[in-house]
Structures are given as structure tokens and as C-alpha cells.
């Protein structure tokens, strides 16, 4: 009996009138946990009942504490008929299960009904007495902290970053069970809400167990998602990064197990599940027995490990000629080897983090992604290994091999997503291939002179740009130059990544949100034919999206993308692609070239004129953008630029956007003939469209900036004025003669108009930046496109802009010119150095293995599961190249673009901002933000994860103000419930907030609508910096502060 | 391509004061969009008409959702659905309960019944206030009236407590409730020149002095009704007019005291009774004040008159009211 849960029902207020005769209500409350239910007395004739109940005590296993939500139902007592339910409150008691988080949950909770929405509030107090029995940790994983934040939470220090944890749980969807035909919509919704709550709890517990096995004490970057697979079931899956965290203020770690960095940990590959999780022991509820989970089965992991060896690139330190180079090649090699060994034990060396401790990220290879189209089928036997779990494992394997092909042993900024339409499901995974510093991956033993040296030698803020792969055997075509910052290492011309901009990256000017939008019609089809059609379309979409991104990046005069997210959405008769990223100009990379337009029929005079007109327009736009985003990189003297790179630089500069790299590769060049990659041919209708869409993107109005990363490069003087919002639009296509072209235009307009509306709505916040702009697209019906945007608008102080970048640039410039002579003298040595430091030869064999790899699982599938056999998939761009080369005439694809070392642009910059005018924080205000920080404030405590799922349904849509009225009210209610839970935990903000799902269905003819929303975030307590100064003035020691400042963001 | 659904929900509820004004004034969304376009907002912000339409719709929807809460303002403070800073909450409430001078003068003193509500059409036409806005203002009057009608304690205080209005607005509502309850006809032609401010001033004095609450702060309806006893007692004062001796004596006392001080002395002597004639004779305000002071003070010198306290309760209030009402 490791825990006692105590609940007290204090009072209610603003209850609805349940008795028309008296205009009053006779309310009482049922408190349920597991299978035990308590009831309060009936409080007669009041809309503001004061129950003041005794403490209801539940004696339960901590396992149940983790899985089960506390369920509070408010009812109206009726003497003659059945009691009417007023509404419910589900309280996740998980935050009470670890000592550092909340100790009590106490406050007013909205009483929620799935049909009526919020109906009054109830005041509840919840406490948990845990009997700390360490042995029990086998079954439960109480004590493991969860964070949605995708960086090391402020006020913690990462002792070890262990790596990837994943789990999924499936069940039948109550909405599709036979019983749903006879029960009320309310009962069905509640069954669903309860089930998902239960499954989330179970999932979290299981992930926690894996973390404990890895000797970790926390999960960072925890991302949990639901797949509503309809008839075939309900999947709840989660990924995260296991870490051992140390609280900064107190040196004593709270988990003794983690305090002694155990060596064995390295020996334990985390997948070798010592947890005989065959069944949960103890008095489990009947419901639990219906919930099946699949942990990677032994057989599977064997399979994967075998393929692992096929692909693995054994580090050959000696390779690449012995010349050590002056940068301490042997050290590097050793470092790499260590990292390699640390990571190779992991089945998937993935990290869901997007920002990292300084020094963690060494190099970035580029974006790796994989997609797979599957046919959903009812899960007949959930214990079979060939299930959703296997599907994901397959994709992850692919991601891993892609990363290896890029000379990288790890993937950071990793995420997974699905898109489901009827029985077809697209699984997607993407991340950024990277080389990591082993220091954080193991316990502290490696720490020492090695890293120190390494760091000393690294030039500031450009190391992550240096290519990790072998220059002579590049896995994809790339145009390399010497780093514009340090002049020592090779860098690609363009970098694409899924992570945030590293803190120490030097950037010129400001960044901006860049989106690529694309629609492709497809024929309606059934099952396999449908899946095949989708599979065939995917490579083209990926390619188009990539080309658009590249074009838009050039149009902005920038050379790198951060936070790249590509979403492919499947509908009945179309596919939608939406890529969002934040473009920046990295000083380490070369200046991007322009875009050149060429006509096919050059003899026609008027045609020529048209083309030159277009060309001029494009050139003007580039010039304007450079001005707008303040992109004026320092002029580097030509002799410095004159790097000893053998490529015909001039040619590329003259004929094409010089940054386009791919056509240098022979393989592609051959297939392209003599055509130029970045020359857009106007005769091509698609290209015409491209050019057009390039020019229709309107820059935000003056005073506005936008990005989809945590913070905007080039802006660092935030005020404390923030506004988080969600905006939803559903647009109906006029369906008659839909072509790809009109569809694209419609989609583009929809996105642009939505952005325009946001700028208008938030105009009072100017100067302002929309941060973490997150678009999601869904296709709820044939002719409907739904776009959901969540972001936070932050006002910044125009007059206090701190020009840190400039000095950085100058510094690096000086350094560059200083190093230059040296550089010119020893070009050869440098080359070999880079070889030595990149002892992989990812080369062609890997490309092949990557593609052949895709063939093997296909065969396996054929034998294993009925439907998935045909299922084809679209790999990352690596695979695409070949396809492209044959099928597409213009443009080149760059499989991967690299980046690295993201960590929120923090400390230094922020510290310099003056303290903002501190708004009088009124009691009860709860801030919400998708960012991991609150401007102008310091997070002092993490109270636990918020993970909530709600369903709302109506049968009186018109009366509730139509679809807009219905959804507006629902989203406002969801915000309210999140805030109430945070406040009850004692918090005043939720950070890393995300609306993971917003599934909206309507049937206006029946006057009905239904919506499902899933949100999550981290509940925190923050203290305004101005208040903090007072405190620290009083306590001048404040030893934790300098340490904290590393991650802290202030206004 | 049309937007079927178009919403924006902020963690802090966005309130646009200009749009709120238009909504309160009862304009339809399209009218409001038209008015906003004319205000030049498109040029200032570079927005399109579509954006403006969407924005206006969104604000109107928000206001519509808030309206239910505005009916009982304390709920707005305690509700959890809309996070609104306190200063904004106060603004929302204050503006929602504010009323138009033209409208209130039409309704003041009338019974707040369905009958009157039916006349709102006419009032709307007459005053130029939109029917929607008339309804809101009328419903506000009625709602406040219903809540405080039977309540103990200070009328304005009760209103402030239950509707969280500013001091000033709460006192105005007290006047509205007072007039409505006592059905003082304020619509008469000769009272047309009086502003709501004048009448509210008088109502406040009457509430202070002539209601049961003026004597005993524990009785029901203390501020709403006039003190019946007091009204009864007032009959006693008729003696001042009815009794010829007393009247003459009073008159001579007043005349003696004011001789030489008033520029309009002859008229006063002749008219010695009520104030309306003064206006037609264009007395200066100061003369009226002097006269009234003397008029009430000299009663104390009347030996045969025993209701001095009653007289004061009556006259102090009356004098102030008369002075306030004495203007063009």
C-alpha cells in the first residue's frame, strides 16, 4: 500500500440551474478513483453549495496513482428520477508523485460537461501520502519527472543525457464499439475521455520505467500523441529524451540512484527490457486489462540489431591518412570514438531536444526524414509484434541509417507524427543528423582536458556548421566552402535543421518565418490503390516542398533554416504539404546567390521581355528583403574568400544561385544534362506557379516579425508582454474544377490571410514578434481545409536592441583574416585534418544500404502482415535523389542540409536587457506560452506536466453560434481548464504549451458538431526578474543564479 | 473559397475598445465594418477588408459570449473562461452599463415593464439610438431595478456591490431606480429642459433625506421609496400656505430680510410662492438662492409654527433641488 490519496470537496459556485421550478440546484459530488467511489451530502437548493466534506481517503498502489485520473462528478439530486449529471473534473495527480513538484492540488476547477461545456466551478483539495518504498519502483515509476520542454529545463543541470525513450499503447476506441449505438453521446464521450486519460497515465508510467532502467530521473522533450484510427482503434504513443537532471539550487539530488553515476549504465542497452512488463500486478481495474501495450518485443530488437550491424559504420580511426592536422586530430578522433561507443549501445540514438547545453552539439549533418504509408487494420491480436510498434521501429531504423550516411551518429530535434484519412495512415519521422559531444551522454568520467581542448580550439559559433561527413564521399551533392567564420573547416552552402538556433551561433540581421505550401490532387480510391497513389505522390511533394523552401530562403537573402517541420496531410482527394521553418543568415555560411529565370523559347522578343520583367521583380524582392531583415553581412575581402576549394566557383556564381550545390555531383549532373539547378524555367507551368507564389508572399507589416523557433534571431530585448493564442480556420473549396494550381493558390491564400489577420489583431503589441508559430493542416472532409495556428506574440523594446551580433561578426572576421594566411599556406593539411576528424566514409555504400534497406523491410512486411505488404514509403531526401534525377528536370535536391547546436539564444543577450516594467501580476493570472521560458521572469519551479484531452459535442450548433461560436467557446474553455489546473498546482504559468490535436467534425444539416482537443505543457512557478532582484539583494549569496543564467531567459 | 469557420482565441481575451463601442451602440457586423473602414483603419494598418470583417466578427462573438457574464458582473470577475485583466473587466462593465442621455430621459420615471419595452421602437426613432442599444439599456435598468428593489442598505451601495459600477454610475442607477419606483413623471413638457444630471442630483438628495433610510438604516426598501410618514407629515406644512396669518407673517419676514438685496424684489413680493415663475421672469440664480435661504430660514422665526424639524427636512432638500433645476 504505497500511497494514500486524500480528497476534500470544499464548495461549488456558479452551478447551472437544474430545477426549473425553484431555479436552484440540489448538488452533490461523487469522488471516484479506480473502483472506489465516495459521495458528499446533498447540498439543497443552492447554486453555490458549501459541502465542506470530510477527507475522502483512497488507499492505492502507486502504479494506480500513476495510471488513474481522479474523477470528480457533480450531480443534481433528484428524489423521483435518476440524478442528473452536471459535469465532471478529471485531475491528473501525477504532479503529486514526485517530491520536487507540487505538494498539494487545491483550487477552483471548471466543471466540464462534453455536451454543455463548462458549468460552474468546484473547489477541491487533493493530497497524496507516498510511502517511499524504493523497491516498488519496479512496478511504478513514481519519481521520474516529465517535461514537455525540449531543452534542459531552467533551474536544472543535465548530468547525463541518456537518450531516446518511446512507448505506445493501443485500445479499441469507445466511439466505435457496438455499445456506442445504444448509449448517449455524453456517455460515449466520457468513456473516451476517461480511456485516453488512463492510457496516457499508463504510457507515462511505462516510459518512466524505461527511464529508471537507464538510471535516469527525468524525461525531457516528452511528446505524447493520439492516433484516432477509427474502426481500427486508438493509439496513444509517446517519445522523449531520458536524462539525469540535477536541481541547481540544491546540490543534493533527490534520487539516490542517480547520484552515484553508475558505470553499468553504459553496459545496459536500454532496449533490453529487464522489465518483465508482461502484466501489471496488483489489483488492476478491469479497464486496465483491456489496455494493451507493446513494448518492443525481444524478437524485434534482435532483428533491428542485426540490421544495425549491416549498416553500422565502424569507426576507423586510422582511416583518412594519418596526418593529424593542427587542430588536434587524434583528440577529435578519440572523442568521436567515445561518442560513437556511447551511442552505439543505443538502439536509436535519438534526442527529442531542440536546444542543448553548450558544447553538446559538435556538428550537424542535416535534416533526415522518413515517411511510410500504411493501411490500418483492426488490431486482432495486440500482442503480435507486427503492429504499430514495428511500423515505428522500421521508420526509426531508416532515420538512423540516414544519419549514418551523413557521418552522424545521432539525431537531434527528433519528432514523429501521423496523418490519417479513413484507413490510410502516413507515418512520418524527422530530425537533424548530428555529431554530439560524449560528455553528456555518459557520466562525468570523460570530462577533462580532452573536451577543454576541444572547446578552446573551436571557433565561436561556427563549429556546428562544419560538415560531419566525408568531403570526398559526400552522401549527397553539396557545394562546400571554407567556413566564413573560422576559415578552417568546410561548410555547406545551405543548412536545414529541425532544431533551434544554437545560442552561440552568429547571425546577421533578423530571421523570418518561411513556409512552403503545396497541394496535390489525387483520385479517390480504396485501400491499397489509395495507399499506392499516396506513396507515388509523396516523393514529388517532398521535392516540391524542398524546392519552395530553397527558393524562398534565397528570396530572403538567407542561408539557413531552423526549426524545420514538414507536415504532409492526407485527405480523401488530395495531399497537402506544409513546411515551416525560420530562415536566418549564418555568418559561417556563404552568401546565398539569387534566383535566375530562364525561358525555353529565347527567340521570342516579348517573351524575353516578360522574363526580364520577372527577373527584375525577383531581384527587387531580394534587395527589399535584405533591407527588411537587416542582412548586410560584412564584406569579406576577396582574397579571404578565395578558398582553395577546387570547384568552379565562378561558374556557379554566374549561372545559378551560387549556393545551389547539388548539380556539382556527377550523378545528378548527368541526369540533368546541362540544365541549371536554380534556373527556373518559365515555360514550366509549375515553375511559373513557383515564381508566382514566391512573389505573392507578403512580408509582415512594419513592426512585426515572425518565426517558428523559440526566439527570433536578432531580437533580444523582449518585454514581459506576451499573448499566446490559437487561431483556427476552416475553408471550403469551391469544388467544381479543382486543379493543382487553383488548389495551391487557395491554400496559399488561406495561410497568408490567416497570417495577415494575426498581424492585424495583434497590432497593439507592435513592435512585436510572433514566436513559435505552429501551423497544422488537416482535411476533415472532401472540400474542407482546416488550419490551426498556435503561437505567442511578444512585444520587444525597439530602443534597447543590443547589437551583439555585430561585434561577434567583427570578431570572427578579424579572426578569419588572421587565420587566412595560415590557411592558404596549409590547404592540404586542412583537408586531411577534416578527413581525420571525420573518420566515417558514408559514401555510396551507405546510400545503397539506405535504399536497399528500404527494400528489405518491404519484403518482410509482405510475409508478415496482410495489408502492409504493399505499403510503400517515401524515404528521406537521400532516397529521393535518384528518383528526382530521372523524373524532374529542374532543380536539384539536396538531401540534407546541416545545422547544429541549437539552444535558445539566451543568457548574455537577455541579461543585457533592462528589467521590464513589471506588470502588476494580479492573483490568479496564469500565463501560457509555447516557449520554454517567460520573458522577464525566472522559472523557479516545475510543478509537473499538464496533459489534457477534451471532447466537446453539440446537437444545437446554430444555437451556439454556428461552428465558429462552438469552437471559439470550446478553445476558450480548454484554456480555462489548463489554467485552472496550473493554478491549483500552485503555478502561475504553463510553458512549452502545445495544442497537439484539434480534430473538428461538423454536420450542419443535423445541427451537430464535435471536437477533440489535446493539449500539453509544463506547469511552472515563475518570478519576475524585478522581484527577483529584490530577493537576491536580500540574499547576496544566491549561488545558483550564475548557473541558472545559462538557460534562463529574461526580458 | 469561403471560410466556414474563423476564430481567434487568446490566453488573454483581446478586447478592442472601438469595436466594443460599436457593438454596444448596436451596429450589425457589416455596419461596424463599414464604420471602421471609414475611420481609416485600413490605410493605417495596411489590412484588407476581409481581415477587418474577420476581426470584427471575432470581437462580436467574444462580446456576445461575455454578455451573459456582464448581466451579473461579479461572475465576470470570478469566471475562469476568459482571462481579462481587472482594468479591462472594469472597462467592460462600466461601458456595458453606461447609457445615453437621450435614452434615459425618455424612460426615466416610467414603469420598467413590458409595455415600456414595446415603446422602445419609438424611442429609438426619436432619439436616434439603435433599437438594439435601447434594449440593452432598458434591460440594464430593469435588471438593476429587480436586483436592488427589495434590498436593505444604501441604494447606490447595493448597486455598486452587485454590479461593480463606478461610484458615479452607481449613483446614476440609483436615480433611475428611484424614479422608476416612484414613477416621477419626468417626461412632462415643462420638465423637458432638465438634464438627467439635474434629475439624478435631485433624486440623490431625496434618497438621502426623504426616504425611510434617511431615518433608519435597517428598514427594507430604505432608499427606494419615499418615507410614507414623512409624506404624511408634509401635510402639516400646508398650514404655511393655508393659514393666512402665518403666510403673511412669513412673507413679511422674508421681505424684510431681503429688501435691497434682491434685484427682482417687486416680482418676488408679488409671486411669493413658487419657483417656476421665477424662470419666466428671469431671476438671476443668486437671487433665487438668497430668496430660498431666507424663505426656509425665516420659518424658524414663526412663533405659531411647530414643525421646524419637518420643515428643514423638506426645505433643505427642496431648496437644493430647486436651485439645481433653476437653469435654462
Amino acid at each position: 500500500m504505497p500511497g494514500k490519496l486524500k480528497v476534500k470537496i470544499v464548495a461549488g459556485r456558479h452551478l447551472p440551474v437544474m430545477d426549473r421550478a425553484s431555479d436552484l440546484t440540489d448538488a452533490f459530488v461523487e469522488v471516484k478513483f479506480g473502483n472506489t467511489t465516495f459521495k458528499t451530502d446533498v447540498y439543497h437548493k443552492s447554486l453555490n453549495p458549501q459541502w465542506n466534506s470530510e477527507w475522502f481517503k483512497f488507499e492505492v498502489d502507486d502504479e494506480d496513482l500513476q495510471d488513474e485520473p481522479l474523477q470528480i462528478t457533480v450531480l443534481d439530486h433528484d428524489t423521483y428520477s435518476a440524478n442528473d449529471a452536471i459535469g465532471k473534473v478529471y485531475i491528473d495527480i501525477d504532479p503529486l508523485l514526485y517530491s520536487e513538484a507540487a505538494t498539494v492540488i487545491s483550487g477552483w476547477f471548471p466543471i466540464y460537461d462534453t455536451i454543455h461545456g463548462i458549468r460552474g466551478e468546484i473547489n477541491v483539495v487533493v493530497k497524496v501520502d507516498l510511502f517511499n518504498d524504493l523497491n516498488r519502483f519496479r512496478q511504478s515509476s513514481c519519481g521520474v519527472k516529465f517535461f514537455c520542454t525540449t531543452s534542459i529545463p531552467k533551474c536544472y543541470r543535465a548530468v547525463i543525457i541518456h537518450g531516446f525513450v518511446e512507448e505506445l499503447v493501443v485500445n479499441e476506441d469507445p466511439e466505435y464499439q457496438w455499445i456506442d449505438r445504444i448509449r448517449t453521446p455524453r456517455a460515449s464521450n466520457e468513456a473516451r475521455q476517461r480511456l485516453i486519460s488512463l492510457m496516457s497515465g499508463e504510457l507515462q508510467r511505462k516510459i518512466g520505467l524505461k527511464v529508471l532502467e537507464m538510471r535516469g530521473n527525468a524525461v525531457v522533450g516528452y511528446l505524447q500523441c493520439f492516433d484516432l484510427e477509427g474502426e481500427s482503434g486508438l493509439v496513444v504513443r509517446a517519445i522523449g529524451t531520458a536524462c539525469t537532471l540535477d536541481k541547481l539550487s540544491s546540490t543534493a539530488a533527490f534520487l539516490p540512484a542517480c547520484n552515484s553515476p553508475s558505470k553499468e549504465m553504459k553496459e545496459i542497452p536500454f532496449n533490453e527490457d529487464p522489465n518483465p512488463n508482461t502484466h501489471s500486478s496488483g489489483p488492476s481495474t478491469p479497464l486496465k486489462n483491456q489496455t494493451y501495450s507493446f513494448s518492443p518485443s525481444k524478437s524485434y530488437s534482435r532483428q533491428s540489431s542485426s540490421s544495425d550491424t549491416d549498416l553500422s559504420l565502424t569507426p576507423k580511426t586510422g582511416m583518412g591518412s594519418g596526418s593529424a592536422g593542427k587542430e588536434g586530430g587524434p583528440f577529435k578522433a578519440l572523442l568521436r570514438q567515445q561518442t560513437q561507443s556511447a551511442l552505439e549501445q543505443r538502439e536509436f540514438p535519438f534526442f527529442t531536444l531542440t536546444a542543448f547545453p553548450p558544447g553538446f552539439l559538435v556538428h550537424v549533418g542535416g535534416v533526415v526524414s522518413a515517411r511510410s504509408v500504411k493501411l490500418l487494420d483492426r488490431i486482432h491480436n495486440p500482442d503480435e509484434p507486427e503492429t504499430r510498434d514495428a511500423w515505428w521501429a522500421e521508420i526509426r531504423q531508416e532515420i538512423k541509417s540516414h544519419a549514418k550516411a551523413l557521418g552522424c551518429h545521432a539525431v537531434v530535434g527528433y519528432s514523429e507524427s501521423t496523418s490519417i484519412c479513413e484507413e490510410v495512415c502516413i507515418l512520418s519521422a524527422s530530425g537533424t543528423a548530428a555529431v554530439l559531444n560524449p560528455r553528456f551522454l555518459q557520466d562525468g568520467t570523460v570530462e577533462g582536458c580532452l573536451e577543454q581542448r576541444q572547446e578552446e580550439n573551436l571557433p565561436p559559433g561556427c563549429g556546428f556548421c562544419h560538415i560531419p561527413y566525408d568531403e570526398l564521399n559526400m552522401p549527397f551533392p553539396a557545394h562546400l566552402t571554407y567556413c566564413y567564420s573560422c576559415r578552417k573547416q568546410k561548410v555547406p552552402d545551405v543548412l536545414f535543421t529541425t532544431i533551434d538556433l544554437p545560442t552561440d551561433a552568429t547571425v546577421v540581421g533578423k530571421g523570418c518565418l518561411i513556409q512552403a505550401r503545396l497541394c496535390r490532387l489525387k483520385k479517390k480510391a480504396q485501400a491499397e490503390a489509395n495507399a499506392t497513389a499516396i506513396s507515388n505522390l509523396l516523393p514529388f511533394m517532398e521535392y516540391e516542398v524542398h524546392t519552395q523552401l530553397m527558393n524562398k530562403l534565397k528570396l530572403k537573402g538567407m542561408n539557413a533554416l531552423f526549426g524545420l517541420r514538414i507536415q504532409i496531410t492526407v485527405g480523401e482527394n488530395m495531399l497537402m504539404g506544409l513546411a515551416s521553418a525560420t530562415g536566418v543568415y549564418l555568418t559561417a555560411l556563404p552568401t546565398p546567390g539569387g534566383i535566375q529565370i530562364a525561358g525555353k523559347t529565347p527567340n521570342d522578343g516579348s517573351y524575353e521581355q516578360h522574363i526580364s520583367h520577372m527577373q527584375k521583380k525577383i531581384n527587387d524582392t531580394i534587395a527589399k528583403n535584405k533591407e527588411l531583415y537587416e542582412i548586410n553581412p560584412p564584406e569579406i575581402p576577396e582574397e579571404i574568400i578565395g578558398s582553395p576549394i577546387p570547384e568552379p566557383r565562378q561558374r556557379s556564381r554566374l549561372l545559378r544561385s551560387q549556393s545551389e550545390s547539388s548539380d556539382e555531383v556527377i550523378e545528378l549532373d548527368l541526369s540533368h544534362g546541362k540544365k541549371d539547378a536554380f534556373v527556373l524555367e518559365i515555360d514550366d507551368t509549375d515553375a511559373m506557379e513557383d515564381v508566382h507564389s514566391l512573389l505573392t508572399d507578403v512580408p509582415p507589416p512594419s513592426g512585426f516579425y515572425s518565426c517558428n523557433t523559440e526566439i527570433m534571431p536578432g531580437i533580444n530585448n523582449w518585454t514581459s508582454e506576451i499573448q499566446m493564442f490559437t487561431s483556427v480556420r476552416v475553408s471550403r473549396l469551391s469544388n467544381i474544377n479543382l486543379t493543382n494550381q487553383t488548389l495551391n493558390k487557395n491554400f496559399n491564400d488561406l495561410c497568408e490571410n490567416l497570417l495577415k489577420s494575426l498581424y492585424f489583431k495583434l497590432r497593439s503589441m507592435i513592435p512585436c514578434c510572433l514566436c513559435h508559430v505552429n501551423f497544422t493542416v488537416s482535411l476533415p472532409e472532401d472540400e474542407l481545409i482546416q488550419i490551426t495556428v498556435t503561437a505567442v506574440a511578444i512585444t520587444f523594446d525597439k530602443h534597447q536592441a543590443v547589437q551583439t551580433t555585430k561585434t561577434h561578426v567583427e570578431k570572427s572576421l578579424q579572426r578569419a583574416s588572421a587565420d587566412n594566411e595560415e590557411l592558404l599556406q596549409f590547404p592540404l593539411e586542412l583537408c586531411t585534418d577534416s578527413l581525420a576528424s571525420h573518420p566515417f566514409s558514408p559514401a555510396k555504400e551507405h546510400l545503397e544500404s539506405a535504399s536497399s534497406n528500404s527494400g528489405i523491410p518491404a519484403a518482410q512486411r509482405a510475409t508478415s502482415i496482410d495489408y502492409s505488404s504493399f505499403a510503400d514509403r517515401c524515404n528521406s531526401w537521400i532516397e529521393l535523389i535518384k528518383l528526382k534525377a530521372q523524373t524532374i528536370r529542374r532543380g536539384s535536391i539536396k538531401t540534407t542540409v546541416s545545422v547544429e547546436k541549437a539552444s535558445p539564444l539566451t543568457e548574455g543577450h537577455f541579461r543585457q536587457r533592462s528589467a521590464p516594467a513589471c506588470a502588476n501580476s494580479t492573483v490568479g493570472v496564469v500565463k501560457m506560452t509555447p516557449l520554454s521560458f517567460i520573458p522577464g521572469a525566472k522559472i523557479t519551479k516545475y510543478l509537473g506536466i499538464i496533459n489534457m484531452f477534451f471532447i466537446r459535442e453539440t446537437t444545437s450548433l446554430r444555437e451556439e453560434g454556428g461552428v465558429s461560436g462552438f469552437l471559439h467557446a470550446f478553445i476558450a474553455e480548454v484554456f480555462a481548464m489548463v489554467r485552472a489546473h496550473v493554478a491549483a498546482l500552485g503555478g502561475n504559468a504553463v510553458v512549452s504549451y502545445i495544442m497537439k490535436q484539434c480534430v473538428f467534425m461538423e454536420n450542419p444539416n443535423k445541427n451537430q458538431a464535435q471536437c477533440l482537443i489535446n493539449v500539453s505543457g509544463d506547469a511552472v512557478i515563475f518570478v519576475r526578474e524585478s522581484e527577483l532582484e529584490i530577493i537576491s539583494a536580500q540574499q547576496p549569496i544566491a549561488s545558483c543564479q550564475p548557473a541558472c543564467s545559462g538557460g534562463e531567459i529574461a526580458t | 473559397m469561403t471560410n466556414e469557420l474563423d476564430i481567434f482565441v487568446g490566453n488573454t481575451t483581446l478586447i478592442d475598445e472601438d469595436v466594443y463601442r460599436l457593438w454596444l451602440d448596436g451596429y450589425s457586423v457589416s455596419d461596424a465594418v463599414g464604420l471602421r473602414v471609414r475611420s481609416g483603419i485600413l490605410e493605417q494598418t495596411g489590412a484588407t477588408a476581409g481581415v477587418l470583417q474577420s476581426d470584427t466578427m471575432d470581437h462580436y462573438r467574444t462580446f456576445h459570449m461575455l454578455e451573459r457574464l456582464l448581466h451579473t458582473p461579479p461572475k465576470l470577475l470570478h469566471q475562469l473562461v476568459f482571462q481579462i485583466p481587472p482594468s479591462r473587466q472594469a472597462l467592460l462593465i462600466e461601458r456595458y452599463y453606461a447609457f445615453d442621455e437621450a435614452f434615459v430621459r425618455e424612460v426615466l420615471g416610467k414603469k420598467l415593464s413590458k409595455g415600456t419595452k414595446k415603446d422602445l421602437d419609438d424611442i429609438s426613432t426619436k432619439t436616434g439610438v439603435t433599437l438594439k442599444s435601447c434594449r440593452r439599456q432598458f434591460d440594464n435598468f430593469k435588471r438593476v431595478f429587480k436586483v436592488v428593489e427589495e434590498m436593505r442598505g444604501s441604494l447606490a451601495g447595493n448597486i455598486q456591490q452587485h454590479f461593480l459600477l463606478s461610484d458615479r454610475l452607481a449613483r446614476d442607477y440609483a436615480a433611475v431606480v428611484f424614479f422608476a419606483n416612484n414613477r416621477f413623471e419626468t417626461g412632462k413638457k415643462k420638465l423637458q429642459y432638465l438634464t438627467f444630471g439635474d434629475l439624478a442630483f435631485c433624486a440623490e438628495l431625496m434618497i438621502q433625506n426623504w426616504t425611510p433610510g434617511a431615518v433608519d438604516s435597517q428598514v427594507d426598501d430604505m432608499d427606494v421609496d419615499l418615507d410614507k410618514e414623512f409624506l404624511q407629515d408634509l401635510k402639516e406644512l400646508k398650514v404655511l400656505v393655508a393659514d393666512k396669518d402665518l403666510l403673511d407673517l412669513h412673507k413679511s419676514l422674508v421681505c424684510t430680510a431681503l429688501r435691497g438685496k434682491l434685484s427682482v424684489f417687486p416680482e418676488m413680493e408679488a409671486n411669493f410662492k413658487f419657483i417656476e415663475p421665477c424662470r419666466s421672469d428671469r431671476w438671476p440664480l443668486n437671487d433665487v438662492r438668497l430668496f430660498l435661504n431666507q424663505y426656509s430660514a425665516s420659518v424658524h422665526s414663526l412663533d405659531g409654527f411647530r414643525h421646524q424639524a419637518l420643515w428643514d427636512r423638506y426645505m433643505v432638500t427642496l431648496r437644493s433641488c430647486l436651485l439645481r433645476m433653476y437653469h435654462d
Side-chain angles (χ1 to χ4, degrees), chain A residues 430-452:
Chain A
S430 74
T432 303
V435 174
L436 304 177
N437 185 326
R439 176 155 51 120
F440 296 93
L441 303 173
Q442 306 164 9
D443 52 55
T445 50
V446 227
E447 236 167 319
C449 63
L450 190 63
E451 274 71 43
Q452 300 301 19

Side-chain angles (χ1 to χ4, degrees), chain A residues 880-893:
Chain A
L880 288 180
I881 288 183
K882 293 185 174 172
L883 241 173
K884 233 83 275 182
Q886 292 150 9
T887 52
I888 300 169
R889 322 179 254 152
R890 91 206 128 89
S892 64
I893 339 152

Side-chain angles (χ1 to χ4, degrees), chain A residues 176 419-426 519-527 529-535 537 568-576 732-733 735 738 740 743 777-786 1001:
Chain A
Y176 294 88
S419 173
I420 297 171
C421 179
E422 303 288 316
E423 64 217 316
V424 173
C425 175
I426 303 181
C519 305
R520 280 292 170 262
L521 286 169
K522 87 173 171 59
K523 289 216 172 71
K524 279 191 189 181
Q526 292 299 310
N530 193 19
T532 312
I534 293 167
S535 308
L537 272 173
I568 304 271
T569 309
V570 57
E572 295 240 314
N573 57 349
M574 63 178 100
L575 284 174
M576 293 264 187
R732 186 173 290 278
L733 300 162
N735 56 340
L738 269 187
N740 281 336
L743 203 55
V777 183
S778 51
L779 298 162
E781 275 173 51
D782 258 12
E783 285 115 29
L784 293 184
I785 304 178
Q786 179 191 328
M1001 289 155 285

Side-chain angles (χ1 to χ4, degrees), chain B residues 234-297:
Chain B
L234 279 184
K235 284 177 188 155
E236 307 285 345
L237 298 182
K238 276 193 177 160
V239 71
L240 282 176
V241 192
D243 187 323
K244 189 82 171 81
D245 295 341
L246 220 53
L247 181 64
D248 286 345
L249 185 60
H250 188 195
K251 184 175 170 181
S252 69
L253 276 169
V254 174
C255 290
T256 319
L258 294 179
R259 193 177 304 274
K261 291 180 194 166
L262 285 189
S263 54
V264 288
F265 184 71
E267 288 92 337
M268 185 208 75
E269 209 177 0
N271 291 324
F272 192 76
K273 237 178 91 190
F274 246 97
I275 310 306
E276 277 165 33
C278 302
R279 264 184 78 227
S280 56
D281 294 341
R282 307 195 171 279
W283 285 28
L285 178 63
N286 201 38
D287 289 0
V288 180
R289 181 175 297 119
L290 279 170
F291 167 73
L292 284 172
N293 285 345
Q294 199 54 45
Y295 181 77
S296 38

